[in-house]
Amino acid sequence: MAARVLKQPSLLLAALVLAGLALRLWYIAFNQIEPGYSPTDDGDYYRRALRFTLTGQYIDDHWFIRSPLHVLMFAGLLRLSIVLGTIDGVLLIRAVQIGMSLLAVLLVYDSTRRLFDGRAGLVTAGILALWFPFVELPIHLFSEPLFLYLLIGHLWLLLLWRVMRRWWLLALAGLLLGLAALARSPALYSAPFVALWLLLELRPADVPLLSLRVLRGLVRPAFLRAVALVGLCCALTIAPWTIRNYLEYQRFIPIDTIGPANLWLIVGDHNRQGSEILLSMPQAERQSFATAEARRLLAEDPQRFVGLLFNGWERNFREIWKLQYVVDFFGQNYFYMRPLRELAPLGLLGELLWLAFVGCGLAALAAPLAPREGAFRVLALGWLGYTCLSIMILHPEPRYSYPIWLLLAMYGAAALAHPAVFVRQFRGRWLHTAAALLLVGGFLLLALTPRDYPRLIGNGVQRERHFAAGRQAYAAGDTVAAVREMQAALTVQPEFVEGRAYLALLQIEQGNLDAARALLREGDAQELDIARGMLAYAAGDAARAADLLRQAEVRRSADMQAFSMMAIDPPATSTLHLGTGLDLGYIRGFSPAEELANGERYRWLEAGTGSIVLPLAAPLDTGSVVLLRLTAGRPEGARLRVQFGPAHRETITVGDGWRVYRLLVPADLEGQETLTLALDGDTFMPAHRFPGSTDLRLLSVMVDAVQVVQTTGDGQ
């Protein structure tokens, strides 16, 4: 059966692409973000793009000048979302990045097929489609997705040129290299790898790959023409941005100023103080200052300069080769809005896949050259060494390592596709065998020995088991068992943020304010701020509580309404004012709180759907009425569908102006102690509807208050 499937690569490739699409959509379902509130790089990129979209101004307001291409791409897609008026801008960016990631699956398949064979191409395509980090990559708004997909296109064009020998392919390869550099400037420094690869590919057929006779090709017209074409197209691609930088700052800045600034911060041993020094200067002077200071430090004490430059290289190098998902899920105290728990099956299986393709990829790099491989290994080794070196000097972040995993996936696929053939090629080749064993053994030591993974996983499983049991007990109303399980989870991992937040909320609910206060004394996370707000409310400081809860919703962009619905048992009420902050625990699907000029607070129903859940002090009686104070916020009004429970729905037309709408509660809900209102309304985008608006959200209606009253009436 497997053999028959592999004989139909197009069907299997299509299945892999569809599976990759499904997994990326699955990820999105658990990871709704609002980058406009994020304090990290994605928030900076989004706000730059938004400002450029709405004002036409591109301002370098960070302490260095950033690479621009991904920001400009985001801006173009945000503009498209405004023109269309019906598509959320962040969702559009994610959709385009997902599309690029699936195209990358096809390009990597073809690249690996050209290097080895079709079966190896399918293995690499499977890794890019299914491995957790590659699934996660296009969901976030960083520079790395665009950079990696452009790099994949660049390598594919080079391999295509090797077969077709069309010069326009080299021109496109240079163009994509320039675009990749405009997304992440280190790509620019890979140009020497391309030149070396061209030199080896253009050598005469009778010249061995590692012969010194290859150097004669440096003066051959074909090589000079090829290098000039790639270099010229790359230079012309970045030239408009370089010219912009010169006109803006009167300095020659090819792309960004991150490199000189980071170099000076490392060798100057300044840390945070160094960034403050740079921030005190005009943007135009920062690069020249950092470059001059780095040169001065090198001249004064070269040994100290080199020592500081490579001070953390060993630690940083070890951080590259680790079970990243296991460390993130079982070892971290906070997930930073990543759905690690929900996607645990994919993440854990991905670790096994990672061990397989990285180990096999390193062995393949030590194996004899494959018949169709040509000089590509030189290009791959250049990228691998360069990426590792940059991480060793600067600092390790998983998203910096994608070129490493891309290339090792391609070479690992050659071994995984034909394991028996791969092993046989080492027979009698002792030097290759020794190199392969050394690389694979070193990788396994680096990946598996620095951390006690059995203990880490065992503790993580215990933490998750107790945490899940605590949430189940809480949902069932057994707060005693919930407290016991959350305490057990924190015994395993005392700083686990979600456990601390849940336990603190349970202690508040039981009146143990001192115990809750001790749990919340330290920590910077939205969940902890929600608990701090509830603690302030329980202590009688409603104003501080409202302020904390409102801020917690937006400061890091996670869905705190969903968290509050699960974690907070709100007091029974028949009247709820939205936008106060104290409405958390009752609502889902609304925008963060907003305020009118007169001080009145409200919330928008966002993306068209949401819910309000009111635990009532007394059961619903016959003739109960729901009062909704609403406005459409636009002249044409909006339709709003209100569903009571699973079976009853009413549609009202909400006008432009605050008004109370009366809805009769269905008679068969009599006696219920909780009223759930599911809202579904027409949406619009303010930036599309109103000139000068900077609001790119998809909004429905404005909601001020909901009230349940015992009365008689005829509905609205």
Side-chain angles (χ1 to χ4, degrees):
M1 174 66 72
R4 287 200 299 270
V5 171
L6 288 172
K7 289 179 180 178
Q8 302 179 49
S10 59
L11 293 178
L12 186 53
L13 187 61
L16 288 172
V17 170
L18 290 175
L21 174 61
L23 290 174
R24 285 152 177 80
L25 296 178
W26 183 31
Y27 193 107
I28 286 179
F30 292 107
N31 187 243
Q32 300 301 318
I33 60 171
E34 176 47 69
Y37 297 116
S38 174
T40 57
D41 283 351
D42 60 336
D44 179 45
Y45 300 154
Y46 179 83
R47 288 186 289 272
R48 285 177 185 236
L50 181 59
R51 179 172 54 214
F52 184 67
T53 299
L54 299 172
T55 69
Q57 291 183 299
Y58 189 99
I59 300 174
D60 297 303
D61 50 0
H62 207 271
W63 55 276
F64 45 61
I65 299 170
R66 289 192 183 274
S67 303
L69 187 62
H70 53 291
V71 175
L72 298 178
M73 183 189 82
F74 296 166
L77 293 172
L78 291 176
R79 169 54 59 184
L80 179 59
S81 76
I82 294 173
V83 171
L84 296 175
T86 55
I87 301 179
D88 176 78
V90 173
L91 183 61
L92 187 58
I93 292 171
R94 285 174 147 186
V96 169
Q97 291 189 158
I98 287 174
M100 289 192 293
S101 76
L102 299 178
L103 176 60
V105 170
L106 300 177
L107 295 183
V108 168
Y109 161 77
D110 192 61
S111 298
T112 311
R113 180 184 66 83
R114 293 178 184 279
L115 286 173
F116 305 109
D117 63 13
R119 183 177 292 192
L122 288 173
V123 174
T124 316
I127 294 170
L128 259 73
L130 308 177
W131 187 45
F132 180 82
F134 284 127
V135 170
E136 183 179 40
L137 177 63
I139 310 305
H140 298 290
L141 275 61
F142 291 110
S143 61
E144 281 72 20
L146 182 59
F147 158 72
L148 183 69
Y149 305 143
L150 289 169
L151 174 62
I152 288 171
H154 164 73
L155 296 176
W156 175 72
L157 286 168
L158 292 178
L159 289 172
L160 199 60
W161 171 84
R162 189 182 68 171
V163 176
M164 298 178 63
R165 284 298 199 268
R166 296 288 188 270
W167 294 108
W168 60 268
L169 291 170
L170 280 184
L172 286 178
L175 170 67
L176 261 62
L177 184 61
L179 291 174
L182 287 174
R184 288 202 75 225
S185 61
L188 187 63
Y189 310 124
S190 71
F193 311 151
V194 180
L196 178 59
W197 179 79
L198 287 169
L199 178 66
L200 296 173
E201 286 292 342
L202 289 168
R203 73 190 189 281
D206 61 338
V207 176
L209 188 65
L210 300 179
S211 170
L212 290 176
R213 292 165 57 194
V214 169
L215 297 178
R216 297 177 184 174
L218 291 171
V219 296
R220 289 194 175 96
F223 168 73
L224 296 175
R225 187 164 56 245
V227 169
L229 185 58
V230 173
L232 180 62
C233 289
C234 180
L236 289 175
T237 304
I238 68 171
W241 182 251
T242 306
I243 294 170
R244 175 264 182 189
N245 286 338
Y246 187 81
L247 295 175
E248 184 76 19
Y249 301 113
Q250 302 301 305
R251 300 283 195 281
F252 177 69
I253 302 171
I255 297 173
D256 59 32
T257 59
I258 299 175
N262 279 332
L263 177 66
W264 174 66
L265 290 176
I266 293 170
V267 299
D269 199 19
H270 289 299
N271 298 322
R272 182 176 296 276
Q273 180 189 0
S275 61
E276 292 173 354
I277 292 172
L278 292 175
L279 281 169
S280 67
M281 302 177 179
Q283 181 68 264
E285 298 176 11
R286 295 173 190 174
Q287 173 168 276
S288 56
F289 169 81
T291 303
E293 284 296 291
R295 288 173 177 167
R296 180 182 63 80
L297 292 168
L298 175 62
E300 289 179 355
D301 193 343
Q303 186 174 354
R304 182 175 184 273
F305 182 97
V306 174
L308 287 170
L309 189 63
F310 290 95
N311 181 45
W313 74 268
E314 185 179 3
R315 178 186 66 254
N316 293 346
F317 184 71
R318 286 199 307 267
E319 284 295 303
I320 300 172
W321 314 94
K322 65 182 179 183
L323 298 173
Q324 187 68 54
Y325 180 86
V326 169
V327 171
D328 288 348
F329 183 39
F330 294 122
Q332 284 191 356
N333 295 319
Y334 192 40
F335 298 158
Y336 298 97
M337 290 77 72
R338 298 168 66 205
L340 299 181
R341 180 178 294 113
E342 293 81 0
L343 274 68
L346 181 65
L348 293 173
L349 288 173
E351 297 292 53
L352 298 177
L353 181 60
W354 179 75
L355 287 170
F357 80 73
V358 172
C360 290
L362 291 169
L365 288 172
L369 290 174
R372 298 161 61 177
E373 185 183 352
F376 188 81
R377 191 174 304 188
V378 173
L379 197 58
L381 289 172
W383 265 106
L384 288 170
Y386 174 49
T387 305
C388 287
L389 181 64
S390 63
I391 292 173
M392 288 157 57
I393 292 176
L394 297 173
H395 61 277
E397 279 199 33
R399 54 196 173 103
Y400 297 164
S401 304
Y402 280 104
I404 299 174
W405 313 137
L406 167 68
L407 293 162
L408 289 179
M410 294 173 69
Y411 275 86
L416 292 169
H418 305 281
V421 175
F422 180 74
V423 171
R424 280 199 300 269
Q425 68 179 324
F426 285 96
R427 290 178 181 174
R429 299 175 181 268
W430 302 112
L431 186 60
H432 289 283
T433 302
L437 292 174
L438 184 63
L439 285 174
V440 175
F443 160 65
L444 293 176
L445 284 173
L446 282 170
L448 301 178
T449 59
R451 292 175 175 82
D452 186 353
Y453 283 108
R455 182 189 61 81
L456 182 67
I457 294 172
N459 288 347
V461 169
Q462 285 189 58
R463 180 203 74 197
E464 287 297 298
R465 180 169 58 82
H466 288 301
F467 183 68
R471 288 176 58 177
Q472 288 177 346
Y474 182 73
D478 189 349
T479 56
V480 174
V483 168
R484 182 177 64 250
E485 294 294 342
M486 289 299 173
Q487 287 175 334
L490 290 178
T491 299
V492 176
Q493 190 171 340
E495 297 304 315
F496 180 49
V497 164
E498 285 182 275
R500 288 170 59 202
Y502 268 97
L503 183 56
L505 289 166
L506 285 165
Q507 299 286 17
I508 293 166
E509 190 175 322
Q510 294 184 335
N512 302 323
L513 302 191
D514 288 339
R517 196 170 287 111
L519 287 164
L520 301 174
R521 189 164 290 120
E522 296 179 352
D524 182 28
Q526 278 178 286
E527 293 88 344
L528 296 177
D529 283 348
I530 291 289
R532 290 182 180 113
M534 297 306 296
L535 177 62
Y537 184 74
D541 192 348
R544 173 168 168 74
D547 187 53
L548 282 169
L549 293 169
R550 286 194 299 267
Q551 291 183 34
E553 272 198 273
V554 301
R555 58 185 294 268
R556 288 190 187 275
S557 79
D559 188 350
M560 285 297 97
Q561 292 177 26
F563 170 78
S564 299
M565 290 282 276
M566 291 187 297
I568 295 175
D569 184 18
T573 184
S574 59
T575 302
L576 181 68
H577 291 280
L578 275 68
T580 62
L582 299 175
D583 53 358
L584 291 179
Y586 299 97
I587 61 171
R588 179 79 188 275
F590 289 84
S591 70
E594 298 181 46
E595 186 175 355
L596 297 173
N598 62 6
E600 187 174 15
R601 295 188 179 276
Y602 67 94
R603 290 181 185 268
W604 282 98
L605 177 62
E606 195 163 6
T609 59
S611 60
I612 301 173
V613 180
L614 295 179
L616 303 171
L620 286 168
D621 198 358
T622 302
S624 297
V625 172
V626 173
L627 305 180
L628 289 167
R629 189 167 187 267
L630 311 168
T631 179
R634 53 200 186 274
E636 68 273 21
R639 289 177 303 168
L640 178 68
R641 291 158 289 280
V642 183
Q643 184 162 328
F644 298 83
H648 301 280
R649 171 181 290 191
E650 289 200 37
T651 300
I652 58 177
T653 300
V654 182
D656 184 23
W658 288 107
R659 178 185 167 190
V660 175
Y661 295 83
R662 303 174 69 247
L663 299 173
L664 184 66
V665 176
D668 59 358
L669 297 183
E670 179 183 355
Q672 292 195 10
E673 297 181 354
T674 299
L675 178 65
T676 299
L677 302 178
L679 307 179
D680 179 10
D682 297 340
T683 60
F684 79 111
M685 181 184 292
H688 175 76
R689 180 67 178 78
F690 303 116
S693 173
T694 62
D695 194 341
L696 303 187
R697 296 173 297 170
L698 286 178
L699 304 175
S700 181
V701 297
M702 301 162 68
V703 184
D704 168 59
V706 57
Q707 183 179 9
V708 179
V709 297
Q710 303 285 353
T711 185
T712 58
D714 298 320
Q716 182 179 328

